[in-house]
Amino acid sequence: MADALTTAKNASQAKSDFLSHMSHEIRTPMNAIIGMTTIALSRIGDKQKVEDCLKKTLLASRHLLGLINDILDMSKIESNKLALSYENFDLQETVHCIYNLIEPQAKEKGVSFEIITNDIRQECLVGDPLRVNQVFINVIANAVKFTPRGGKSDEVVGSVQVRTYPLALCHQ
């Protein structure tokens, strides 16, 4: 009976942790969708800017759909039957999309960031692009989120470095 209670408590805690993590993950693409839509609406006469915003909104929407699919697959996670995909994906394209996804949040906070991939020799990789996106978005969004206005930080994930710094220091 005590083992069953411990198992139930652990399962409940795991669900709580999962939902907390996913709510954090969902906020990033939602903020990008809202931000890009707001920009597009404010620049409705600028076809090029609206098109750029719509492309970024589409990328963020696809990422959000992937996250929602993960939530719906929670039973697979609980039963350890979550399968990773093995697809070709372009790391530079992935990094570019993530940059575009998080940039509005960073600007709103007064922080800029760069994603440095100089040491990566292969750009076409095979793996689970959704999981790679989740890891990078989590690290980069946290770097931006926890960098105080006017502050700096450096985060490293494998051969990818994320550097945040005050927006005023940007060379734009």
Side-chain angles (χ1 to χ4, degrees):
M1 188 95 130
D3 287 343
L5 179 61
T6 301
T7 301
K9 284 181 180 179
N10 289 342
S12 177
Q13 183 61 47
K15 285 181 184 179
S16 294
D17 292 347
F18 175 79
L19 291 173
S20 174
H21 176 74
M22 291 311 292
S23 67
H24 170 78
E25 293 289 326
I26 289 170
R27 279 189 210 108
T28 300
M30 277 306 301
N31 285 333
I33 292 166
I34 292 167
M36 289 295 111
T37 303
T38 302
I39 291 169
L41 287 171
S42 72
R43 306 276 295 276
I44 203 77
D46 183 348
K47 183 180 177 190
Q48 186 176 0
K49 186 65 174 177
V50 170
E51 184 178 335
D52 180 57
C53 288
L54 289 174
K55 286 178 181 177
K56 291 175 182 176
T57 300
L58 183 60
L59 291 170
S61 299
R62 286 181 180 154
H63 179 67
L64 181 59
L65 179 60
L67 293 172
I68 291 168
N69 286 336
D70 278 353
I71 292 170
L72 296 174
D73 286 342
M74 191 168 162
S75 63
K76 289 181 182 179
I77 293 169
E78 287 180 332
S79 62
N80 291 325
K81 293 183 180 178
L82 179 67
L84 296 176
S85 67
Y86 295 94
E87 304 170 28
N88 292 331
F89 68 96
D90 184 305
L91 184 63
Q92 290 301 330
E93 182 180 318
T94 299
V95 167
H96 179 73
C97 292
I98 292 169
Y99 183 91
N100 288 331
L101 184 68
I102 296 177
E103 183 183 30
Q105 284 178 252
K107 280 187 176 180
E108 184 176 306
K109 188 171 180 197
V111 172
S112 190
F113 68 98
E114 59 184 331
I115 304 169
I116 304 160
T117 59
N118 295 340
D119 294 338
I120 297 176
R121 291 183 174 87
Q122 293 292 325
E123 292 182 13
C124 184
L125 304 175
V126 176
D128 192 326
L130 177 63
R131 301 307 183 267
V132 170
N133 272 331
Q134 287 174 330
V135 170
F136 284 154
I137 287 171
N138 195 20
V139 169
I140 296 165
N142 282 340
V144 168
K145 179 180 178 181
F146 294 111
T147 299
R149 187 175 293 275
K152 299 177 183 179
S153 79
D154 266 334
E155 308 296 329
V156 178
V157 180
S159 293
V160 177
Q161 179 181 12
V162 180
R163 182 174 293 147
T164 61
Y165 44 89
L167 194 56
L169 295 179
C170 291
H171 302 291
Q172 295 181 1

